Amino acid sequence: MRDVPLHRVLLQLAHGGPLGLVEEVGRQARGAVVRLGLGPFRPLLVTHPDHVRHVLRDGAENYVRGAAMWDALGRLTGRGIAGEGPGWAASRDVLREGMSGGCLRRTGEVVAVSVDGAVEELAGRARGRSADAVGEMTRLVHRVVDPVFFGSRIGAERCDRLGRDVAAALDSLLWRMAMPFVPHRVPMPGDRAFLRATRAIDRTLVPVVGRARRQGGDGADLMSRLLRGRGPDGRPLDDEHVRRDIVALFVAGSESSALTLTWAWVVLARHPAVAAEVRREADRVLAGGPPRPEHVRQLVFTRQVLAEVMRLYSMAWAVPRVARADDVVGRVPVPAGTTLVLSPYLTHRLAEFWPDPLRFDPGRFERRAVRERHPLAYLPFGDGAHQCVGRAFFVMESVLVLATVLSRYEVHVSGDPCPRLAVALPPRGRVGLSLTPRGR
Ligand code: HEM
């Protein structure tokens, strides 16, 4: 096994910044398991699809979210859906049911109407002037999420505030996530900001969840479902559990969705021929009318474009797990307690599976190409037991957003950003977005 020693890590960090470092390590590893020398923290980087399959599927029993990074995150998102064990399983069952099959089909109606309204609201702010793309996509995502996740109990404005507080709490955890070996009793930068943000989150959510509990009801939204959910002891999930799961839904679903949509606009601006094809498809399928849930299946090329955006801008650049018992991955011994870091971002750049990996090419997601590729070479939503519960919802939401906007507006993007490493992958610097109605 190759080691990437600390001095090389620091050198590459100085040269290409944190994301440049991640990319360089991935390039040099070429799918092999390598040990990262990050001081006392020496995780194994796992990127080859065969090894990913072992960790997330075949040997998944042995790999848990016990990593210290999850511990740090757990202070914000609790021990429900963002954790492991019985508390996770209880939330997972509720959320999976609410986000799949017939429930998702019914949700589709709400999503389509919300997208329609959110796009017009966006146009109101971005018509003829350059609005901040990340801010606008975040707002748009909240307009869709509020009815679907929370039965509109939080409301658009408070959703925006909650989103900001959750983002602030996450940012303040970065130090602890980067240095998971520092005990919680030792103060670190970000601790005070974390406390401030979590208090603000509780001020918003405690009354909302309390009121929803008292009102009861059989709502189809995720909050109602969680309130009806049962824990491993058969008792209802308590308010704290529900609140933390709601925060986890924000963490998991809000920023990643908004940033992926932002990158989609950037990529379409860089590839006008692709944008023109997406627009032709939108014109044909929407035919000048509002978006409908059944359009998602018909917007085949738009889905391919989105898939390729998620390959190149994979928000989950690090998915950590800890080995419970000794094991071997790719002929490398993995002693119990070792942290493994999977990186869909790097797996999506392996030249063995993705020829000319940095080239943007939606054709990679034509049916035949997908069939012929290793199934684990593409995992923007993870895989195995913890695979993203929101993936179908996200695809529905974002495909309808792209098609609705392009069927009605010319889109202008200013700035030519590259991604920066944070909890997800935001653009470095401001990206401007402006819309003008199409003259047809
Ligand atoms: C671009 C959009 C998204 C991306 C890239 C993404 C990515 C991921 C990934 C990689 C995981 C697996 C984490 C792991 O294995 O530990 C995950 C899990 C999860 N995602 Fe998403 N996600 C997205 C959108 C959403 C949305 C919209 C929701 C809202 C419902 C959501 C909810 C979740 C939840 C609850 C989990 C945890 C599942 C579990 O542990 O059982 N995600 N997501």
Side-chain angles (χ1 to χ4, degrees):
M1 177 189 47
R2 266 176 288 161
D3 269 34
V4 184
L6 186 58
H7 71 272
R8 273 230 338 256
V9 168
L10 293 176
L11 208 72
Q12 281 166 356
L13 198 59
H15 185 67
L19 188 58
L21 164 69
V22 169
E23 287 171 354
E24 187 52 31
V25 169
R27 241 188 321 270
Q28 289 184 16
R30 277 194 267 134
V33 176
V34 293
R35 186 181 297 286
L36 304 172
L38 303 175
F41 184 44
R42 291 168 56 74
L44 295 177
L45 176 70
V46 174
T47 54
H48 193 284
D50 286 345
H51 306 158
V52 171
R53 171 158 41 202
H54 177 79
V55 175
L56 293 183
R57 284 193 192 175
D58 307 341
E61 294 275 287
N62 191 41
Y63 294 97
V64 290
R65 279 177 172 166
M69 178 182 143
W70 287 111
D71 284 350
L73 201 61
R75 294 171 65 203
L76 179 63
T77 52
R79 297 281 161 212
I81 190 61
E84 278 285 3
W88 161 76
S91 297
R92 168 90 192 192
D93 290 349
V94 171
L95 295 176
R96 192 163 30 194
E97 199 199 326
M99 296 252 99
S100 58
C103 295
L104 188 70
R105 269 195 297 283
R106 280 193 294 281
T107 299
E109 299 287 339
V110 183
V111 173
V113 170
S114 308
V115 166
D116 196 17
V119 166
E120 284 318 294
E121 203 186 319
L122 165 71
R125 269 193 311 274
R127 197 180 306 215
R129 72 177 191 91
S130 168
D132 171 53
V134 174
E136 291 305 329
M137 289 304 107
T138 306
R139 197 170 281 130
L140 186 147
V141 164
H142 289 164
R143 298 303 174 271
V144 184
V145 152
D146 185 39
V148 175
F149 290 7
F150 314 124
S152 301
R153 288 186 192 92
I154 297 189
E157 302 299 322
R158 268 192 306 181
C159 242
D160 291 341
R161 203 172 56 219
L162 190 57
R164 279 194 296 275
D165 292 334
V166 170
L170 259 186
D171 280 351
S172 65
L173 276 179
L174 269 180
W175 282 94
R176 289 217 173 263
M177 290 197 220
M179 288 194 253
F181 42 84
V182 177
H184 283 192
R185 61 178 185 283
V186 177
M188 283 190 82
D191 282 356
R192 281 223 206 134
F194 178 76
L195 214 64
R196 260 198 314 276
T198 43
R199 282 195 187 127
I201 292 168
D202 284 348
R203 268 199 305 278
T204 305
L205 283 184
V206 168
V208 172
V209 172
R211 219 173 12 253
R213 168 87 68 198
R214 284 191 298 279
Q215 283 165 350
D218 58 356
D221 61 277
L222 298 183
M223 191 194 290
S224 299
R225 288 174 186 279
L226 285 166
L227 286 165
R228 294 196 298 273
R230 304 257 153 195
D233 52 5
R235 303 229 301 261
L237 300 175
D238 63 28
D239 284 9
E240 163 88 11
H241 187 118
V242 173
R243 257 193 339 262
R244 296 283 171 229
D245 274 355
I246 290 170
V247 174
L249 286 175
F250 258 94
V251 171
S254 175
E255 189 187 22
S256 51
S257 303
L259 290 176
T260 304
L261 278 166
T262 303
W263 286 116
W265 295 123
V266 171
V267 165
L268 288 174
R270 283 180 191 154
H271 299 273
V274 174
E277 200 171 333
V278 175
R279 166 164 293 151
R280 272 195 296 278
E281 186 175 73
D283 286 349
R284 183 170 48 76
V285 173
L286 271 67
R292 300 273 317 137
E294 60 271 20
H295 291 155
V296 178
R297 215 169 43 86
Q298 300 161 37
L299 292 161
V300 177
F301 184 65
T302 312
R303 280 191 276 127
Q304 287 172 11
V305 168
L306 185 75
E308 179 68 342
V309 169
M310 285 195 287
R311 180 183 73 83
L312 282 169
Y313 300 92
S314 191
M315 294 302 132
W317 60 271
V319 177
R321 294 287 189 268
V322 167
R324 289 211 272 220
D326 293 354
D327 193 15
V328 175
V329 178
R331 288 197 236 136
V332 170
V334 177
T338 304
T339 296
L340 283 74
V341 179
L342 285 75
S343 176
Y345 184 88
L346 293 180
T347 302
H348 295 171
R349 282 169 156 68
L350 289 175
E352 185 186 343
F353 302 95
W354 304 98
D356 196 2
L358 299 187
R359 190 167 52 88
F360 179 77
D361 176 9
R364 298 181 201 267
F365 290 92
E366 280 167 12
R367 198 177 291 190
R368 204 171 117 208
V370 172
R371 246 197 333 260
E372 286 172 0
R373 205 163 32 237
H374 193 305
L376 270 295
Y378 186 64
L379 66 158
F381 295 112
D383 195 79
H386 286 292
Q387 192 178 39
C388 181
V389 296
R391 60 193 188 283
F393 165 80
F394 172 72
V395 170
M396 179 188 284
E397 166 191 49
S398 48
V399 163
L400 291 183
V401 167
L402 295 180
T404 308
V405 170
L406 285 172
S407 71
R408 296 175 187 172
Y409 300 98
E410 299 290 347
V411 180
H412 309 275
V413 173
S414 59
D416 191 21
C418 52
R420 146 180 93 77
L421 204 68
V423 174
L425 291 177
R428 191 181 291 283
R430 183 182 190 273
V431 180
L433 188 73
S434 64
L435 306 184
T436 45
R438 279 172 69 190
R440 270 191 272 197

